[in-house]
Amino acid sequence: MKRFILKYKLLSGLIAIISLAVISLSGIYFASFLLGPPPLKAEQNTIYYSSADTVIGEEKGSESRYWVGLDEMTPYVKQAILAIEDQHFYEHNGFDYSRIAGAVLKNVENSSLEEGASTLSQQYARNLYLSHEKTWNRKIKEAFYTVRLEMYYSKDELLEGYLNTIYYGHGAYGIEAASRYFFNKSADELSLAESAMLAAIPKGPTYYSPFNDLENATKRQKQILYEMKQQNSITEQEYYLATHEKLKYAEPNKQSKKVIAPYFLDTVLIEAANQLDLDTEKIRSGGYKIYTTLNVEMQKELEGEVDSTIDTNSSIQVGAIGMDPENGAIRALVGGRDYKESKFNRAIRAKRMAGSSFKPFLYYAALSNGFTPATMLMSKPTAFELADGKVYQPSNYNGYYANKPITLAQALALSDNVYAVKTNLYLGVDKLIDSARRFGIDTKLPSVPSLALGTASVTVEDMVTGYGILANGGEKIDGFTIKKIIDRNDEVVYERSKKEDKQILDKEKAFILTDLMKGMFDHSLDGYMAVTGSPVADSLTRDYAGKSGTTASDSWMIGFTPNLVTGVWTGYDDNRDMNKSAEHSYAKDIWAGFMEAAHANLPKTKDNVPNGIVGAWIDPISGGLATSYCPSGTLMYFEKGNVPTEHCTDHLPNDDEGSEEKVKQPPKDEHKKGVFERIFDYLF
């Protein structure tokens, strides 16, 4: 009896499931009948918009879309695509149930939606009306559109539509565009081998385009030819000849007109693919509207500065980014001097030695460990004996030294290397590494004393983001290029959330360091040499903070206001030394010209001095409080309790700058010296 009841329940359940399926299917077919035939053609261009919602780029449109009938294509095209994509196309009603069953089992086993069993009708429905996201909701919609297509159109009409809209990569939509692009001939002229090669591409243009990966493409082409032979679409002789035919490809089309911010658009494409978890080729062909962060006027200014500054006969390269420090939005980007010659994005992908532009991360660590802008250390040739017994002797630019103690403020403004290495060794290299991590530098950092001088390899994006964190007062940001993405159905599929306020730097110390970085343009800090920003200081009309960096093969300039942070790198792709003096000035000149132009329409800002910070006029030579007898004084900021208490004694009433006789001052009592001065006098 119990067995009978169990069988009855199972049978009832099965009948209920079947009934539900029949009712659902009937409903789908009835709704499809009422809605009528869907359109067979749909534009799929992905369009890019600027921050002002103006069009700045578009994937190739009508010039790469040609509609041709089945009778205008070689029969090999039709045979090849059916052999590899849908052998039973002319037999099913839009769904291959045996393949679906197998795919469902694999997906259940793997707890995913990775395994597919789409027919050409399903693919056509997806290409025309839907996104490529792997969700159940999309699959249900796909099934619905497939029913409508199969209900109202013949198999030949569907196959023709599929072959005319499928994406082959490189901006080519449809078999005719692909035939012209890859072989410089019409689709009715394609050989069997050429047809099989084109049939190989749509599965993944990034991986199977012969222009991207000839080996992968050829393997798939031969697989298709084998399937055609197995299905008796071609003979043994045709198979042999096709597999041995040497294909002659057309020369890839060259870009005919200058595109706004091509390196930026490449960055957008990669970011969109990451956000939507799709292949870049599916983004290109997906009909998306991508709203970006680009400021077109700033982009033109940046490109213009690069073009007008660098000698046209030079092969030196450039990478530059302008970013909004408030949220990380990239407003302008240059990844090289000529996109047609090289698509390698040096602003995002190139890792180069940062040089002295790395020093602000060191001095933030110093300020966090007892240093102040007036902390004095000796600037003279110094050999450091390291723990492993090796000796390290850094040198200053052109061998210039103060040969006396200098302040941190002056050390940063003059980019004194000895001061930096002493600071790094005193703090311990791990302190600098920890500090750099706070600024978002996640690349591998060598735990060596020379890290203070920027021996780490970083990208322009890394450095601009780090400086941007400083520019906004210490809040975390990440660089980004996309605000919003809308799919072809006008649905928002991605929108960047508002930045979460996350304080990662101490506000007071970030303020002090920012003020110190203005010193590179402040002639009151001139010492044994002029401040490093001297070549461009007189051309600046705003209050900027910044730092330059120079190695034998790299030149950097990064600087900011609360409105904009910009970094510029110049150097050779092969890392050879820059031997011409003009080459070392390119980065600063580009930066200064761009920042001045970009700020022309930006509001001027005033320093918001945090609570707990006080200002004092300091003599940059002695580090003491400036008196009326000091030739110059510099306003420096300190945390309360750290302001120097002694006045400058290097400049007295009877000092005469032109006099040969100088009044000798008695030596300071040792107990009156600062703790750092005493430590380094003892060690160095």
Side-chain angles (χ1 to χ4, degrees):
M1 186 66 179
K2 289 183 178 179
R3 186 178 299 176
F4 174 77
I5 294 174
L6 179 61
K7 287 183 177 180
Y8 177 77
K9 287 183 177 179
L10 289 173
L11 182 60
S12 299
L14 182 60
I15 292 172
I17 292 172
I18 293 173
S19 300
L20 181 61
V22 170
I23 293 171
S24 299
L25 194 59
S26 300
I28 290 174
Y29 274 89
F30 183 67
S32 299
F33 175 76
L34 292 178
L35 288 170
L40 284 183
K41 297 181 181 180
E43 291 299 307
Q44 297 176 311
N45 293 7
T46 286
I47 303 172
Y48 303 102
Y49 296 86
S50 71
S51 59
D53 295 345
T54 59
V55 175
I56 56 174
E58 185 173 359
E59 297 301 337
K60 289 191 175 182
S62 59
E63 73 274 16
S64 291
R65 301 174 190 267
Y66 307 91
W67 192 281
V68 293
L70 283 180
D71 58 348
E72 298 175 275
M73 311 173 196
T74 175
Y76 293 133
V77 167
K78 174 180 172 180
Q79 294 166 0
I81 202 70
L82 292 178
I84 196 63
E85 294 290 346
D86 193 349
Q87 297 178 23
H88 306 292
F89 175 71
Y90 281 94
E91 301 162 15
H92 60 62
N93 64 348
F95 306 97
D96 190 331
Y97 296 108
S98 60
R99 290 177 65 196
I100 291 173
V104 168
L105 288 175
K106 286 188 178 180
N107 285 332
V108 170
E109 289 175 4
N110 300 326
S111 299
S112 71
L113 293 175
E114 295 300 318
E115 189 69 26
S118 297
T119 62
L120 288 189
S121 301
Q122 289 175 273
Q123 292 181 46
Y124 191 24
R126 181 168 65 245
N127 292 338
L128 284 176
Y129 315 116
L130 303 168
S131 69
H132 290 76
E133 59 183 343
K134 293 182 177 180
T135 64
W136 289 112
N137 184 46
R138 196 271 294 161
K139 287 182 177 292
I140 291 170
K141 289 180 179 179
E142 177 187 297
F144 185 76
Y145 278 111
T146 300
V147 169
R148 292 179 65 193
L149 288 174
E150 288 278 348
M151 180 179 291
Y152 286 101
Y153 296 103
S154 70
K155 288 290 188 179
D156 281 351
E157 286 176 312
L158 296 181
L159 181 58
E160 180 180 302
Y162 175 86
L163 287 169
N164 278 288
T165 55
I166 195 68
Y167 187 56
Y168 288 86
H170 310 284
Y173 294 84
I175 186 63
E176 181 69 12
S179 181
R180 296 186 188 191
Y181 184 84
F182 288 99
F183 298 111
N184 196 28
K185 60 175 65 174
S186 295
D188 62 351
E189 300 173 313
L190 292 170
S191 69
L192 171 58
E194 291 167 341
S195 298
M197 177 58 77
L198 293 184
I201 298 172
K203 179 178 174 65
T206 299
Y207 306 104
Y208 297 113
S209 164
F211 290 164
N212 292 338
D213 193 323
L214 182 58
E215 183 179 353
N216 274 352
T218 303
K219 284 181 180 178
R220 185 162 170 79
Q221 178 222 27
K222 289 184 176 179
Q223 177 193 354
I224 292 170
L225 289 169
Y226 178 78
E227 291 291 338
M228 293 175 74
K229 184 190 72 165
Q230 290 298 100
Q231 297 167 31
N232 297 317
S233 296
I234 58 175
T235 65
E236 284 280 356
Q237 184 180 13
E238 287 177 313
Y239 171 75
Y240 177 83
L241 293 174
T243 53
H244 288 79
E245 181 180 332
K246 187 174 182 180
L247 301 183
K248 295 180 180 179
Y249 295 102
E251 183 179 352
N253 294 338
K254 292 185 177 180
Q255 198 169 318
S256 59
K257 63 179 181 179
K258 188 172 182 180
V259 177
I260 297 175
Y263 293 101
F264 177 85
L265 294 181
D266 282 354
T267 306
V268 172
L269 179 62
I270 294 170
E271 186 176 327
N274 290 334
Q275 293 295 347
L276 299 183
D277 193 23
L278 293 174
D279 185 271
T280 54
E281 297 298 344
K282 290 181 179 177
I283 298 295
R284 292 181 192 275
S285 62
Y288 295 99
K289 295 177 182 177
I290 302 179
Y291 293 84
T292 77
T293 59
L294 187 78
N295 182 305
V296 174
E297 292 306 314
M298 287 188 184
Q299 179 68 28
K300 289 179 179 178
E301 292 289 353
L302 185 55
E303 291 178 355
E305 286 297 329
V306 170
D307 291 342
S308 63
T309 301
I310 299 179
D311 186 345
T312 54
N313 296 318
S314 173
S315 60
I316 202 167
Q317 279 296 346
V318 62
I321 290 178
M323 179 185 290
D324 184 342
E326 183 62 30
N327 54 21
I330 294 177
R331 301 303 185 193
L333 186 152
V334 169
R337 292 178 61 194
D338 190 335
Y339 185 78
K340 290 184 289 186
E341 294 296 324
S342 171
K343 294 178 174 57
F344 180 68
N345 192 332
R346 296 157 186 84
I348 302 294
R349 296 176 59 193
K351 290 190 174 184
R352 305 293 294 232
M353 288 179 61
S356 292
S357 64
F358 207 74
K359 287 177 181 175
F361 308 144
L362 168 69
Y363 291 125
Y364 179 82
L367 293 172
S368 301
N369 286 273
F371 279 60
T372 76
T375 297
M376 306 284 286
L377 296 180
M378 180 65 72
S379 168
K380 66 179 182 180
T382 307
F384 299 91
E385 184 174 348
L386 307 180
D388 59 3
K390 294 181 180 179
V391 174
Y392 174 56
Q393 186 166 355
S395 60
N396 279 351
Y397 177 71
N398 280 344
Y400 296 150
Y401 301 89
N403 291 307
K404 61 181 180 179
I406 61 174
T407 62
L408 187 157
Q410 197 170 47
L412 185 55
L414 305 182
S415 202
D416 191 284
N417 288 338
V418 174
Y419 192 110
V421 174
K422 283 185 177 182
T423 302
N424 195 26
L425 288 174
Y426 173 77
L427 296 175
V429 177
D430 288 345
K431 287 279 194 349
L432 171 52
I433 293 175
D434 291 342
S435 178
R437 298 291 184 230
R438 280 192 173 210
F439 284 87
I441 307 298
D442 56 7
T443 190
K444 184 177 180 180
L445 300 175
S447 183
V448 294
S450 61
L451 181 59
L453 308 184
T455 52
S457 294
V458 292
T459 66
V460 175
E461 184 183 24
D462 289 336
M463 296 299 288
V464 170
T465 302
Y467 277 54
I469 292 171
L470 193 59
N472 68 33
E475 291 185 1
K476 178 178 174 57
I477 56 171
D478 294 299
F480 69 97
T481 62
I482 298 176
K483 298 186 297 181
K484 181 172 62 176
I485 302 176
I486 297 175
D487 69 11
R488 69 184 68 182
N489 298 314
D490 288 331
E491 293 183 5
V492 176
V493 292
Y494 168 77
E495 188 165 15
R496 188 172 182 86
S497 57
K498 186 179 179 182
K499 181 180 76 72
E500 180 183 352
D501 294 338
K502 184 178 180 181
Q503 194 73 28
I504 57 175
L505 301 181
D506 180 272
K507 285 185 178 181
E508 288 75 19
K509 294 174 179 61
F511 177 85
I512 292 172
L513 179 56
T514 295
D515 184 70
L516 286 170
M517 291 170 67
K518 297 175 182 178
M520 73 172 293
F521 307 113
D522 183 357
H523 285 292
S524 73
L525 291 171
D526 287 347
Y528 60 83
M529 60 179 288
V531 290
T532 55
S534 293
V536 297
D538 293 340
S539 66
L540 303 179
T541 60
R542 296 280 184 118
D543 205 12
Y544 301 104
K547 186 72 188 76
S548 58
T550 303
T551 72
S553 57
D554 304 277
S555 181
W556 294 77
M557 179 62 215
I558 315 172
F560 58 87
T561 68
N563 294 315
L564 185 67
V565 54
T566 299
V568 180
W569 164 87
T570 57
Y572 290 97
D573 283 341
D574 59 6
N575 283 289
R576 69 178 182 269
D577 290 355
M578 293 185 289
N579 296 317
K580 298 178 181 178
S581 58
E583 294 176 338
H584 289 283
S585 68
Y586 286 153
K588 285 178 184 172
D589 292 341
I590 293 169
W591 178 88
F594 170 70
M595 288 294 273
E596 283 292 292
H599 280 81
N601 297 316
L602 293 176
K604 290 190 175 182
T605 56
K606 293 183 179 180
D607 290 333
N608 293 318
V609 182
N611 293 329
I613 295 293
V614 294
W617 287 93
I618 303 296
D619 174 65
I621 306 300
S622 67
L625 294 169
T627 69
S628 59
Y629 304 109
C630 294
S632 65
T634 303
L635 179 62
M636 299 183 191
Y637 290 94
F638 302 81
E639 292 186 77
K640 287 181 180 178
N642 288 337
V643 182
T645 56
E646 296 185 3
H647 286 78
C648 169
T649 56
D650 284 9
H651 307 100
L652 296 175
N654 58 348
D655 276 359
D656 182 359
E657 193 171 328
S659 172
E660 293 182 14
E661 255 181 79
K662 294 289 181 183
V663 178
K664 292 186 178 180
Q665 298 301 318
K668 295 180 182 178
D669 291 339
E670 188 67 23
H671 73 276
K672 290 184 179 180
K673 291 185 178 182
V675 60
F676 297 109
E677 189 175 354
R678 294 203 304 273
I679 290 173
F680 284 105
D681 280 353
Y682 174 75
L683 292 175
F684 308 118

